[in-house]
Amino acid sequence: MKFAKKISGLLAGALITVATVGIVHAGSDVPPLAPLGDPPIPADNKLSDVKVKLGKMLFWDPRLGGDASTGCVTCHEPDQGWGFGDALSRGYPGTVHWRNSQTVVNSAYLMKLFWVGAASSLEKQAPSAAKGGVAGNGENDVMEARLAFIPEYRKLFKQSFGTDWPLISDAWKAIASFERTLIHNNTPLDKYLRGDKKALSAQQKRGLELFNGKAGCIACHNGALATDQKYYNLGVPPSERWGEDGLAQITFRYEQFAKGVTQKMYRKIKDDAGLYYRTKQKVDMGKFRTPPLRYLKYTAPYMHNGSFWDLTEVVEFYNQGGGENDFTDGTMAKSKSPLIKPLGLSEKEVEDLVAFLDAFSGEELVVEPPTLPPYAPLPNPAKN
Amino acid sequence: MKTFGSKTRFMLALSTGLIGSIVFLGTVIAGQNNQGPIKPIKVDAKKAELGKRLFFDQRLSGDAAISCATCHQPDKGFSDGLALSKAYPGSKGFRNTPTLINTATRKNWFHDSRIGTNLNDVTREMITEDYIMNMDMRLMQERLKQDPVYVKMFKDAGYGEPSNGSVRKAIPEYLKTLTSRNSPFDKGSMTPAAKRGYELFKGKAQCASCHSGANFTNDKVYNLGVPENPEIWSDPMRHMTYVAFGTFMGIGNIMNVRRDVGANILNPKADGSNIAKFATPTLRELKYTAPYMHNGMFNSLFEVVAFYNHGGGEDKNKDKNLKPLELTFGQQKDLVAFLEALSGDPLNTKEFVWKEKIPTNYTAIENWRAVKN
């Protein structure tokens, strides 16, 4: 992100002189980082091999979308960290998305999904992805009808759910089951926290110290998932693309419209108000969910609008005390988290912290793409 | 159906009354005296001009790949020359694309007459229907606001800034300009064969009992026993579209249906007697709109006339008034000549077609942060 680069350049000199500002003595009242166990499995959607197999196919299948071109995998590409490697995600054809595509790896552990926690389970998240105007733009009746014409799916749905005809609600359950297998919990950090002291380098151990201490990351990125799953405004700057790209401007306004802001706000707003769209509370403007940090190595760019392309930029951003957006300077609100202050990290400390962030990622999660089964005519019922 | 901006169920309720009042054949030879030219409809020129551009603009569909004119093509009488229509990408249609010429004079719309309110509702249906244009009208509105040409046209038309509501007014305004003109029938320049055909049409062949009035339709629905188009059920892409449609419309036992139930959705009867009733179409501009019937099962007018001569098709609920007509070969040809005399000038000139290029991408609004959205 160019904005942050410039600022950090300007501030670098100043920061060195600000001795201890920004040291957060967190850690006493927050859960420490911990190795990650297995994800919770809801009682009403138990895992089974056949369901996971089906869910994987459906995750890849663009027929679960409006014009049969855009499946989950289109924006959650396995070789792009199971997200999409651009600041703003690609959108449904004819559109661009307005947020960064999140990884689906480890989404199984989260209580709420999306950058502002708009979905309360993977089962509820999938339909809003498949149906959203700038995502899948599909409709239930069309998608459900398509499934019925794929004999292989009829078989797998029957085996998974016992139905004669596939139900679209079961498609979301199968996808959720597949996502529950995209687990990343054997990272160097997990190994270290389980007792393998050699799993982290000396530099990474210094970074961990900083993470828990001087840099104050642990205040929000805590517990086994490295997130408190709460919402904060760090002052991540608005996407530059909104000022430059007609397609992005359309989506920006559409999202305001679709999320039901007041007419007055619709006219005025120029930045993503985040959690505000859910709560309609001014104090929530510009707040986004603390992301989990595992698999980070593969999921650039970072932040809700992909403002930063590498982790050094992210750490420098924190080091300078976050940034400015329309909800920090009073244009719309003043909601920046008081936890975000200049940290006074030296260049070496920045490097140590960045090295430590690497420990949140293990081997890349590679899977064999499924073969998608074709449509076939339905046998005539009279001749059955 | 896109949830935003669609009220199909409500509209269905409004049009159910129509079915109950089917006029019995033979008792009234309706509208015989007013089968003259279609009166041009007064329109607001600026609104119609705006509607014209919208009609030809692909950005009105969800993935910006098709426009109204993809299916309603000016050179083909605003139909598409296909037995069964195309659809939004990813689907295929299950009905024949009807002409839009004179559609503004109709009392209800679609082959099953499922909308009985107005063209504003029909336009919304076309734009938002999943297998037609699959457009979230809120996104459409923002697309239009991004195009300076539209911003000006909406303003000049008196609509203020681009909005969904005005789109649904401007397109119908344009559709009103699509009226038949200069057919031999209207000009009084029919051939002797066509004149003989007209006599048969009104008399022995009894066509005018349903094809009445200036637009040659009484806007009612009948079962003629038109054969099913097997492709709807053998091509999964078409069949699944019918299933999606039927699921939304509440057609029972939809997975086992292998027949387009037509107007039965408006007024389902337990004995099935309303199944396969379809709306009487206009007979104007047939020259451009082959193939014929709701499912495009007939390729030529001669086939259609032969079908009527035969007393229609096979169906236990076929309209009782359809009987073999016992027309000679020559009489059938006369009838065809008459039907051909109902086609006028093609509406494919600048007056009806937006000929300038419509951009497919969008320029950024300058100084975006400073201007109001």
Side-chain angles (χ1 to χ4, degrees):
Chain A
M1 212 292 301
K2 292 156 217 141
F3 174 87
K5 279 252 166 76
K6 260 178 266 159
I7 305 281
S8 50
L10 287 174
L11 293 183
L15 283 178
I16 298 163
T17 58
V18 190
T20 52
V21 177
I23 297 182
V24 184
H25 295 286
S28 48
D29 51 346
V30 297
L33 293 176
L36 189 58
D38 294 329
I41 306 294
D44 58 358
N45 190 20
K46 293 254 188 289
L47 290 189
S48 74
D49 289 346
V50 56
K51 211 194 274 183
V52 169
K53 176 181 167 191
L54 172 62
K56 180 176 171 185
M57 292 162 111
L58 295 172
F59 190 87
W60 253 263
D61 199 330
R63 291 170 290 193
L64 282 185
D67 65 358
S69 72
T70 314
C72 310
V73 78
T74 314
C75 304
H76 299 284
E77 294 265 11
D79 61 2
Q80 295 175 39
W82 295 81
F84 191 76
D86 205 348
L88 302 180
S89 173
R90 61 155 289 167
Y92 184 72
T95 74
V96 62
H97 207 284
W98 76 320
R99 287 184 182 149
N100 180 257
S101 177
Q102 296 163 295
T103 183
V104 291
V105 171
N106 282 357
S107 58
Y109 296 89
L110 294 162
M111 294 184 299
K112 293 205 167 135
L113 286 310
F114 288 129
W115 281 105
V116 298
S120 58
S121 69
L122 288 174
E123 284 80 357
K124 291 192 181 126
Q125 188 281 332
S128 58
K131 291 158 83 174
V134 297
N137 198 29
E139 292 295 329
N140 281 346
D141 28 23
V142 167
M143 294 187 287
E144 189 167 271
R146 285 182 184 153
L147 297 173
F149 285 82
I150 303 168
E152 177 73 6
Y153 283 162
R154 287 206 300 277
K155 196 181 90 197
L156 293 173
F157 272 86
K158 176 131 200 174
Q159 287 169 4
S160 302
F161 303 103
T163 51
D164 285 335
W165 299 105
L167 295 174
I168 195 70
S169 52
D170 287 337
W172 313 136
K173 286 185 169 181
I175 289 177
S177 294
F178 168 64
E179 288 171 318
R180 292 193 176 100
T181 67
L182 299 175
I183 298 307
H184 197 63
N185 62 1
N186 205 17
T187 65
L189 180 67
D190 289 294
K191 291 179 186 152
Y192 178 81
L193 294 170
R194 287 193 199 107
D196 176 0
K197 295 299 160 197
K198 284 201 271 289
L200 295 192
S201 68
Q203 185 187 29
Q204 287 177 321
K205 285 177 194 162
R206 291 197 301 274
L208 172 57
E209 280 296 295
L210 291 163
F211 190 93
N212 285 329
K214 185 175 175 185
C217 315
I218 192 74
C220 306
H221 297 281
N222 55 42
L225 262 183
T227 168
D228 56 4
Q229 305 197 50
K230 293 192 178 120
Y231 306 87
Y232 304 95
N233 180 3
L234 312 183
V236 171
S239 170
E240 292 175 351
R241 205 160 155 192
W242 294 327
E244 297 160 358
D245 175 359
L247 207 56
Q249 292 175 349
I250 291 169
T251 300
F252 181 86
R253 290 194 305 270
Y254 163 71
E255 291 292 345
Q256 311 307 320
F257 198 171
K259 289 179 164 54
V261 305
T262 61
Q263 172 80 2
K264 205 172 139 218
M265 174 136 169
Y266 168 89
R267 296 290 172 201
K268 194 174 159 199
I269 190 159
K270 297 288 173 181
D271 195 356
D272 185 342
L275 185 62
Y276 170 84
Y277 300 113
R278 277 182 54 213
T279 65
K280 300 281 149 68
Q281 300 292 311
K282 215 173 157 171
V283 292
D284 288 334
M285 284 188 174
K287 290 187 181 171
F288 295 88
R289 187 193 69 197
T290 309
L293 297 178
R294 278 184 187 74
Y295 214 60
L296 209 48
K297 189 166 147 187
Y298 307 102
T299 63
Y302 304 105
M303 303 298 179
H304 70 274
N305 56 19
S307 280
F308 305 116
W309 283 89
D310 65 46
L311 292 170
T312 307
E313 285 182 44
V314 174
V315 171
E316 277 173 358
F317 169 82
Y318 280 111
N319 197 23
Q320 82 202 13
E324 298 295 331
N325 56 35
D326 290 4
F327 316 106
T328 57
D329 65 0
T331 308
M332 302 291 291
K334 258 188 146 140
S335 61
K336 188 165 165 181
S337 167
L339 292 169
I340 301 298
K341 293 184 219 140
L343 302 175
L345 301 179
S346 69
E347 213 167 292
K348 186 169 157 292
E349 285 173 320
V350 168
E351 281 166 23
D352 291 351
L353 192 49
V354 170
F356 167 65
L357 290 179
D358 237 26
F360 280 101
S361 307
E363 293 282 295
E364 191 167 6
L365 221 145
V366 193
V367 305
E368 184 74 22
T371 312
L372 297 182
Y375 289 134
L378 276 191
N380 197 328
K383 289 177 198 145
N384 273 349
Chain B
M1 176 70 48
K2 290 275 156 215
T3 37
F4 188 82
S6 79
K7 288 212 185 85
T8 306
R9 285 181 204 282
F10 167 70
M11 289 186 273
L12 281 178
L14 285 179
S15 52
T16 43
L18 292 166
I19 299 282
S21 56
I22 292 166
V23 180
F24 284 107
L25 274 182
T27 51
V28 196
I29 304 286
Q32 217 160 291
N33 347 346
N34 58 353
Q35 287 192 314
I38 299 269
K39 285 202 205 74
I41 306 169
K42 262 192 133 153
V43 297
D44 178 316
K46 287 191 168 151
K47 294 186 161 95
E49 189 68 1
L50 169 60
K52 192 205 291 184
R53 192 171 192 258
L54 292 165
F55 189 88
F56 289 89
D57 193 337
Q58 299 185 173
R59 295 171 296 179
L60 261 67
S61 67
D63 63 357
I66 60 170
S67 71
C68 308
T70 303
C71 300
H72 300 288
Q73 302 167 11
D75 283 330
K76 300 203 166 92
F78 288 81
S79 66
D80 57 11
L82 303 168
L84 300 171
S85 82
K86 293 179 202 159
Y88 187 71
S91 299
K92 283 188 190 171
F94 55 86
R95 288 201 179 138
N96 180 261
T97 303
T99 180
L100 299 186
I101 300 174
N102 310 320
T103 194
T105 70
R106 295 203 64 123
K107 294 196 184 64
N108 52 67
W109 291 270
F110 298 134
H111 292 294
D112 50 17
S113 79
R114 69 183 178 276
I115 290 188
T117 50
N118 52 49
L119 282 174
N120 182 314
D121 286 337
V122 176
T123 300
R124 174 172 49 195
E125 166 94 359
M126 285 283 120
I127 294 175
T128 59
E129 182 58 74
D130 317 337
Y131 57 87
I132 303 280
M133 291 171 82
N134 196 33
M135 183 80 237
D136 180 330
M137 289 187 91
R138 297 169 301 187
L139 184 59
M140 177 187 75
Q141 171 170 317
E142 298 306 338
R143 283 184 181 165
L144 302 179
K145 283 169 74 172
Q146 197 72 26
D147 181 345
V149 175
Y150 276 131
V151 172
K152 182 164 187 321
M153 287 183 89
F154 275 83
K155 192 153 177 273
D156 292 350
Y159 287 134
E161 67 176 351
S163 72
N164 305 336
S166 327
V167 169
R168 293 187 348 239
K169 289 183 195 140
I171 289 180
E173 200 68 9
Y174 160 69
L175 294 178
K176 284 190 216 160
T177 67
L178 305 178
T179 51
S180 290
R181 47 206 79 195
N182 295 327
S183 71
F185 174 76
D186 295 334
K187 289 193 300 189
S189 61
M190 287 201 289
T191 60
K195 281 183 188 154
R196 288 195 301 274
Y198 186 35
E199 291 311 312
L200 291 164
F201 187 86
K202 292 184 292 184
K204 188 175 177 195
Q206 297 233 356
C207 315
S209 54
C210 300
H211 296 286
S212 60
N215 195 27
F216 293 87
T217 169
N218 59 4
D219 289 304
K220 294 193 168 70
V221 296
Y222 302 95
N223 181 337
L224 308 185
V226 172
E228 271 306 296
N229 186 330
E231 202 186 316
I232 302 175
W233 318 106
S234 64
D235 181 344
M237 297 271 285
R238 297 197 193 280
H239 191 174
M240 72 182 65
T241 309
Y242 194 80
V243 167
F245 166 80
T247 305
F248 184 77
M249 289 296 164
I251 300 175
N253 195 17
I254 186 68
M255 297 316 295
N256 289 331
V257 170
R258 294 294 185 275
R259 174 118 213 236
D260 185 344
V261 304
N264 191 57
I265 54 165
L266 297 175
N267 194 6
K269 287 219 181 117
D271 63 359
S273 57
N274 268 341
I275 286 178
K277 285 182 178 164
F278 293 93
T280 309
T282 179
L283 297 182
R284 288 181 176 273
E285 314 307 331
L286 292 169
K287 200 168 118 188
Y288 309 106
T289 62
Y292 305 105
M293 302 300 184
H294 71 277
N295 54 9
M297 278 304 276
F298 298 121
N299 286 317
S300 70
L301 291 175
F302 197 86
E303 280 177 56
V304 175
V305 169
F307 168 81
Y308 281 111
N309 196 35
H310 202 78
E314 307 290 324
D315 193 299
K316 67 175 182 337
N317 294 310
K318 187 171 76 179
D319 195 277
K320 292 199 179 37
N321 295 292
L322 286 185
K323 303 243 165 61
L325 299 175
E326 288 164 13
L327 303 176
T328 65
F329 184 71
Q331 285 174 320
Q332 293 180 52
K333 277 174 56 179
D334 290 347
L335 206 41
V336 169
F338 167 66
L339 292 176
E340 281 168 349
L342 293 176
S343 297
D345 300 341
L347 307 185
N348 58 3
T349 57
K350 203 167 161 271
E351 191 185 347
F352 309 101
V353 181
W354 186 271
K355 302 262 186 185
E356 285 142 61
K357 209 170 148 32
I358 299 177
T360 47
N361 43 23
Y362 309 89
T363 46
I365 291 167
E366 271 178 55
N367 204 8
W368 183 73
R369 287 193 61 85
V371 299
K372 276 190 169 180
N373 288 328

